Amino acid sequence: IAALVQESDFHSIWMVDSMTEGKEKVSVYIVATHDKSSAAFVDVGSALGVPRLMSALQELSIAPTAVRWIFLTHIHCDHFAGAWALLENLPNATIAVHPAGAYHVQDPSLISAAYVGLVGEDRFRKHYGSVRPVPAERIHAALNDEQFALGADGRLSMRAMHSPGHAPHHTHYALTVTGAPVGTELRHP
């Protein structure tokens, strides 16, 4: 399920297709410290793909309790709709999202209604399942240039970079080791 994208002495990155809309479409990334004691997701896909993401964690021998962050690049249903379902399986995880997107993660009703208006209720349910609210205490509004530690030793971190374009609240994330970029940005093009 998971394809290795990058590996170093400090970390590994895998790509998993969430199979959103029943086809290869949305890449979800799993980033973990080398010893797999701490991990994060970048994007989620729909709720229908969450079993696939959990299978990937199992395949990679990453405990659900090791996942500390879910970094959302933007609030479109094919990238965030399954956040609530993934969080139900990850007791230590918090969602990091652009401040303008945080409200919609906590209350996805406007985004869901807009998608249903575009594609219809049946097609929405078929491709995205359900979209449910995430409790405010599990959401962190990521500031531009904010660093998020990914390991106990503090050497590995993700830096949020607001990058409006695809969406006004778009954010991409750069993986760094002790503040020096390792050449990896995880973002939606």
Side-chain angles (χ1 to χ4, degrees), residues 26-94:
V26 177
S27 296
V28 174
Y29 294 91
I30 300 171
V31 181
T33 54
H34 188 67
D35 64 1
K36 299 180 181 177
S37 63
S38 185
F41 279 90
V42 178
D43 280 338
V44 175
S46 77
L48 301 174
V50 168
R52 186 173 172 82
L53 301 180
M54 294 307 297
S55 292
L57 284 182
Q58 184 175 10
E59 173 187 305
L60 298 170
S61 299
I62 298 172
T65 54
V67 178
R68 305 284 187 246
W69 292 102
I70 298 171
F71 297 105
L72 297 178
T73 60
H74 62 294
I75 307 305
H76 291 169
C77 283
D78 55 340
H79 287 263
F80 98 100
W84 68 272
L86 188 58
L87 277 178
E88 286 184 350
N89 293 281
L90 306 174
N92 299 325
T94 299

Side-chain angles (χ1 to χ4, degrees), residues 11-186:
H11 74 284
S12 296
I13 301 172
W14 298 270
M15 189 278 297
V16 180
D17 197 297
S18 68
M19 299 303 287
T20 294
E21 298 181 13
K23 58 187 175 193
E24 292 182 359
K25 182 177 179 192
V26 177
S27 296
V28 174
Y29 294 91
I30 300 171
V31 181
T33 54
H34 188 67
D35 64 1
K36 299 180 181 177
S37 63
S38 185
F41 279 90
V42 178
D43 280 338
V44 175
S46 77
L48 301 174
V50 168
R52 186 173 172 82
L53 301 180
M54 294 307 297
S55 292
L57 284 182
Q58 184 175 10
E59 173 187 305
L60 298 170
S61 299
I62 298 172
T65 54
V67 178
R68 305 284 187 246
W69 292 102
I70 298 171
F71 297 105
L72 297 178
T73 60
H74 62 294
I75 307 305
H76 291 169
C77 283
D78 55 340
H79 287 263
F80 98 100
W84 68 272
L86 188 58
L87 277 178
E88 286 184 350
N89 293 281
L90 306 174
N92 299 325
T94 299
I95 291 175
V97 61
H98 189 289
Y103 169 80
H104 295 291
V105 176
Q106 188 177 349
D107 180 5
S109 60
L110 291 174
I111 301 289
S112 297
Y115 269 74
V116 168
L118 288 171
V119 301
E121 183 76 31
D122 291 342
R123 185 170 174 211
F124 180 84
R125 296 285 172 228
K126 178 181 175 188
H127 294 303
Y128 303 108
S130 61
V131 182
R132 297 185 191 161
V134 170
E137 62 272 11
R138 298 204 62 193
I139 302 168
H140 177 84
L143 301 176
N144 191 44
D145 285 329
E146 185 171 357
Q147 296 278 346
F148 296 87
L150 289 184
D153 64 5
R155 292 186 57 131
L156 191 65
S157 64
M158 292 284 262
R159 180 169 62 112
M161 293 177 280
H162 295 174
S163 52
H166 179 69
H169 56 273
H170 197 269
T171 302
H172 69 274
Y173 300 91
L175 185 65
T176 59
V177 177
T178 58
V182 294
T184 301
E185 290 182 4
L186 299 174

